[in-house]
Amino acid sequence: MQSIQNLEKIATQVRRDIIRMVHGASSGHVGGPMGSADFLVALYFEIMQPDPHHFSMDGVGEDIFFLSNGHLSAGWYSVLARYGYFDFKELATFRKMGSRLQGHPACHEGLPGIRMSSGSLGQGLSVSIGAALAKKLNKDEHLVYCLMGDGELEEGQNWEALMLAPAHEVDNLIAVVDYNGQQIDGPVDAVLPLGDLEEKFTSFGWKVLTMYGNDMTEVVDTLKKAQWFTNQGKPVMVLMKTHMGYGVDFMTDNHEWHGVPPNDEQMKIALSQLQETLGDY
Amino acid sequence: MSDYQNFGSKDTRSGFGEALLELGRQYPDVVALCADLTGSLKMDAFAKAFPARFIQVGIAEANMMGIAAGLTIGGKIPFTGTFANFSTARVYDQIRQSIAYSNKNVKICASHAGITLGEDGATHQSLEDIGMMKMLPNMTVINPCDFNQTHAATLAIAKHVGPVYLRFGRPKWPNFTPADQEFIIGKALLLKEGNDVSIFATGHLVWNSLQAAKQLNEQGIHAEVIDIHTIKPLDAERILSSVRKTGCVVSAEEHMRNGGLGDSIAQLIVRECPVPMEMVAINDHFGESGKPEELLKKYKLDIPDIVAAAVNVIERKKKK
C-alpha cells in the first residue's frame, strides 16, 4: 500500500511532466490532465496496480482502464511511464514525429498500457462496457475503469451507453467523470448545461458516488468505496469534482488552459509551483 | 463453361444468419450484437442458442460499435448486425477510431445493402457504404453474391484477424455458387472465361452479369465474368490478367459509382494497364421506393444495362 504522501509526490511529478511535455511539443492539453492527475495516480499506484512489465492487449486477469477523453494523453502517458510501463525518458517524444506518444492515445503504436485509441469524444464508455462484458464472459472478476470528461457528456453516444450498462447489469465497471466544469469554448454551463448529473445517472440506474478529485485521501477512499459497490447489479459512476489546471495558480479553473501550451516564462512559473519529486525526464 | 443454375433463390442475409449459428457452435469466443433488427438480420437462431453471447443493444448503433470494439479486448470475436446504412454512415467515426484505427477484430455485418432493399426507399438504401469502408486503413470489405457465398464468407471472416465489413442484402436472389466452395478473402472467382470483355461484378449483380454474359454469347461476344466478392484487398493479379487478355472492362455493382468496386478497379487499371472501361453503378443519385427489379431497371443496373455496357466498351476498344 502506498502512503498518501507518496501518491501526492507522484502526482506532483506527473503535473511537472505534463507542463514540460506540452511545452516541449508546443502543443497539447494541460488543463484536463492537471486536474485529473491525482485520480490517475491513485488508480494505477493504489487501486488497480496492474502488472506494467507484462502488458497484454486482452488484459485478462487484471483491472483495465480506458481513457475516453483522449486529450488527457499527457497525464496518462506520464502516469504509465512513472508506473513502469515504459522508460519515462520517452515522455520527451510526446507529439513528435515517430513517437509512440501520439497527440491522442493510439493503441496500435505499441505503447504498453494503451488498449484503445481515443480522442474523438464520447466513445470510451461504450468500449469500457464491451470490455466489461468480455470480462464477465471470461469469468474474469477484475474490473474495468473509464475516465470521461464532463463536456464530453454532450456527445449522444454516452447516453446510449449510460442506458445500456444498467440494463445489462454491467456491474464490473467504474466510470469516472472529470467534472471540472470547463470545456474549450467556456464553462460547461455556458456551452451546454449538463443539469443535475447525479440525478440523471441515478435515474438511469447507476450507483453514483461523488468525490473531490484533488484530494488524494478522498480519491483513494472513494475509489475503494466504488470497488465495494461493484458486483451488486449496477454499474458504478463516480462524479469527480476537479479543478482544471490544478497545481498551478494561473491555470486553475481557467478554460483557456484547456488546450494551449505554456510559453517559456509560463512554464518557469508553473514549474516553480511544482516540486521535482521523482526526477524530470 | 456450363451455365450456372439457380439452386433456388434465397436471401443472402439468411446465409449470414445460418453461418453465424454455426460459428456460435464452433467458437466460444464468437459474440453477436444487434441493434433491434434481430429478425431482419436473421440473428434470432444465434440469439436463441447462445443468449449469454448475444447482446441486444437497442436502437443505438454508435454504442454497439463501441461495445463491439471493447469486447475484442478480452479475446472475443464480435459480429455486429444492422442495416448497411446504420452499420456505416451512422457510425462512421465510431468505426474509424474504435475499430479501424484501433485495429480491433470486429466483424461489421450489414444487411439490406444496395438498391434491391426496395420499398423502404432512399433513407435505407445504402449506396455509399463500400466507399466509406474501403477508405479506412485496416478494413477488409466483402460483398458476397448469393446465399452460399454469404454463408461461406461469414465463416471465413471469423478466422480472419482484423476488422471486416461484410455486406449483404434483403431480397431472395438466385443461389448458384456451390455450397461447399471455400471462401478465400481477397481471391476473386473466375465464373466464366471469355476473351472479348472482362465483367467484374460484386454482390447481387454477379448473377445479373452471368445472365448478361449469356445474352452476349448469343451475339457472338465472349465475356469473362469474375466475381469480386472482396473489394478490399482487391485481387489485382486476377483482375489484371483478365484485363490484359480482353482489353476492356465492365464493372457492375449496387453502389454509387463514386467509391465503389468500379472505382477500385479503375484506379488499378489506370496505373497498370489502361483500357476502356464502363461502370454499371448508381450515378450520383439517391434511390427511391419500388420493387427491386423496377429499381434495377430504372437505375440501369439490370441485365440489359450490363449487356449494353459490354457492347459499348468493346466498340471503344475497337476504335482505339
Side-chain angles (χ1 to χ4, degrees):
Chain A
M1 202 179 128
Q2 299 272 349
S3 72
I4 293 297
Q5 288 76 11
N6 196 36
L7 293 171
E8 287 171 344
K9 267 168 66 179
I10 300 166
T12 303
Q13 184 66 49
V14 166
R15 289 189 166 94
R16 273 186 79 88
D17 289 346
I18 294 165
I19 297 282
R20 296 183 70 242
M21 289 163 73
V22 175
H23 175 266
S26 306
S27 76
H29 302 79
V30 288
M34 298 272 283
S36 64
D38 301 305
F39 162 72
L40 283 176
V41 167
L43 185 71
Y44 276 84
F45 286 82
E46 179 67 21
I47 302 296
M48 299 203 305
Q49 297 187 2
D51 179 355
H53 305 297
H54 299 93
F55 173 73
S56 82
M57 187 55 81
D58 284 344
V60 172
E62 62 181 8
D63 288 351
I64 59 179
F65 169 72
F66 293 99
L67 182 73
S68 187
N69 44 348
H71 58 279
L72 270 58
S73 55
W76 192 23
Y77 294 150
S78 168
V79 170
L80 289 174
R82 298 289 175 181
Y83 186 69
Y85 274 101
F86 56 91
D87 188 341
F88 68 89
K89 291 189 177 67
E90 197 174 342
L91 295 175
T93 69
F94 177 58
R95 284 187 166 236
K96 293 183 178 152
M97 275 289 282
S99 175
R100 298 193 293 176
L101 282 61
Q102 290 288 295
H104 293 82
C107 63
H108 57 275
E109 291 289 331
L111 191 69
I114 297 180
R115 296 189 169 87
M116 180 60 65
S117 305
S118 60
S120 174
L121 295 172
Q123 303 187 29
L125 187 58
S126 304
V127 168
S128 302
I129 290 169
L133 289 170
K135 285 212 178 291
K136 281 181 179 275
L137 287 166
N138 289 337
K139 311 247 182 288
D140 176 351
E141 289 178 357
H142 289 79
L143 299 175
V144 176
Y145 292 84
C146 177
L147 179 64
M148 301 179 283
D150 49 359
E152 185 183 9
L153 291 173
E154 290 158 9
E155 290 283 4
Q157 184 181 347
N158 283 313
W159 298 93
E160 298 180 359
L162 284 162
M163 227 186 303
L164 182 135
H168 285 253
E169 296 186 7
V170 187
D171 59 1
N172 53 344
L173 169 66
I174 298 175
V176 178
V177 172
D178 183 5
Y179 202 4
N180 61 25
Q182 308 288 333
Q183 60 188 107
I184 297 178
D185 275 358
V188 174
D189 277 342
V191 176
L192 185 63
L194 295 170
D196 187 336
L197 281 183
E198 191 174 352
E199 197 179 310
K200 283 182 181 175
F201 295 147
T202 304
S203 73
F204 270 58
W206 289 66
K207 171 67 192 172
V208 184
L209 303 175
T210 58
M211 74 177 178
Y212 173 53
N214 295 127
D215 179 293
M216 193 60 83
T217 305
E218 186 166 338
V219 171
V220 170
D221 288 351
T222 310
L223 289 178
K224 285 183 176 166
K225 203 167 143 191
Q227 286 178 318
W228 187 83
F229 278 111
T230 57
N231 296 305
Q232 295 186 33
K234 286 182 175 189
V236 180
M237 175 68 72
V238 181
L239 262 177
M240 176 173 78
K241 286 270 186 196
T242 62
H243 296 286
M244 177 180 265
Y246 186 83
V248 172
D249 54 11
F250 64 89
M251 292 178 172
T252 303
D253 288 332
N254 185 348
H255 71 84
E256 284 166 18
W257 283 100
H258 170 92
V260 186
N263 62 28
D264 293 350
E265 184 57 27
Q266 289 164 331
M267 178 169 81
K268 214 173 131 190
I269 301 168
L271 293 182
S272 74
Q273 298 175 24
L274 298 163
Q275 201 193 341
E276 184 179 348
T277 54
L278 303 177
D280 287 338
Y281 62 80
Chain B
M1 201 173 278
S2 65
D3 285 342
Y4 285 85
Q5 299 300 317
N6 177 7
F7 308 131
S9 293
K10 284 181 173 183
D11 46 354
T12 50
R13 55 189 165 138
S14 288
F16 162 71
E18 286 186 21
L20 185 66
L21 179 63
E22 288 172 39
L23 286 173
R25 295 191 184 115
Q26 223 176 320
Y27 300 101
D29 281 332
V30 164
V31 293
L33 303 93
C34 189
D36 196 34
L37 287 169
T38 314
S40 295
L41 266 286
K42 305 293 178 188
M43 295 170 93
D44 21 21
F46 182 97
K48 201 175 160 198
F50 308 103
R53 289 194 269 148
F54 177 75
I55 303 164
Q56 170 61 267
V57 301
I59 311 166
E61 295 83 3
N63 193 31
M64 175 165 75
M65 293 304 167
I67 293 173
L71 279 159
T72 66
I73 297 160
K76 300 298 150 194
I77 308 169
F79 282 66
T80 67
T82 182
F83 292 166
N85 185 36
F86 315 140
S87 294
T88 56
R90 191 179 184 90
V91 290
Y92 198 55
D93 188 44
Q94 283 76 18
I95 294 175
R96 182 176 177 274
Q97 174 170 288
S98 295
I99 297 174
Y101 182 51
S102 295
N103 205 4
K104 297 301 180 195
N105 193 23
V106 176
K107 315 304 171 189
I108 302 163
C109 302
S111 182
H112 293 53
I115 200 133
T116 53
L117 161 62
E119 293 82 349
D120 279 343
T123 54
H124 287 52
Q125 288 159 345
S126 186
L127 301 169
E128 313 85 11
D129 52 326
I130 291 174
M132 281 186 278
M133 290 297 111
K134 81 177 188 185
M135 276 200 293
L136 294 172
N138 296 330
M139 187 66 71
T140 293
V141 179
I142 298 172
N143 187 188
C145 64
D146 67 357
F147 173 94
N148 284 342
Q149 196 174 73
T150 308
H151 184 277
T154 305
L155 299 180
I157 64 173
K159 286 189 221 159
H160 170 87
V161 180
V164 175
Y165 179 63
L166 180 68
R167 177 193 212 238
F168 42 89
R170 173 176 180 259
K172 286 194 166 60
W173 204 257
N175 185 29
F176 60 96
T177 62
D180 59 354
Q181 189 160 59
E182 193 191 356
F183 188 92
I184 303 169
I185 294 170
K187 200 91 188 141
L189 273 182
L190 174 63
L191 295 179
K192 185 183 170 302
E193 282 188 86
N195 294 312
D196 297 329
V197 57
S198 301
I199 303 178
F200 300 111
T202 193
H204 290 142
L205 295 203
V206 173
W207 174 258
N208 289 17
S209 297
L210 285 169
Q211 302 316 300
K214 220 163 134 181
Q215 293 184 14
L216 287 164
N217 202 45
E218 288 160 14
Q219 300 177 32
I221 295 170
H222 303 292
E224 181 145 292
V225 180
I226 297 181
D227 167 18
I228 311 286
H229 52 62
T230 308
I231 292 135
K232 188 184 170 193
L234 197 63
D235 189 348
E237 201 182 329
R238 166 63 79 188
I239 291 168
L240 289 172
S241 73
S242 176
V243 172
R244 288 193 175 111
K245 179 175 67 173
T246 63
C248 62
V249 174
V250 170
S251 62
E253 62 194 310
E254 262 191 89
H255 189 274
M256 290 292 178
R257 187 185 287 183
N258 280 333
L261 168 68
D263 162 306
S264 289
I265 291 172
Q267 288 187 42
L268 175 70
I269 63 174
V270 84
R271 278 196 318 268
E272 303 287 339
C273 174
V275 294
M277 177 171 177
E278 294 288 328
M279 297 182 187
V280 175
I282 307 268
N283 190 12
D284 201 25
H285 207 288
F286 286 110
E288 63 183 287
S289 292
K291 290 194 188 342
E293 54 275 22
E294 292 171 338
L295 293 165
L296 288 173
K297 201 170 168 185
K298 173 163 180 182
Y299 290 93
K300 302 195 180 307
L301 307 175
D302 210 354
I303 296 160
D305 303 304
I306 301 170
V307 171
V311 170
N312 186 26
V313 84
I314 290 167
E315 281 304 308
R316 287 173 55 203
K317 174 174 69 169
K318 282 179 186 163
K319 279 188 199 152
K320 252 179 89 176

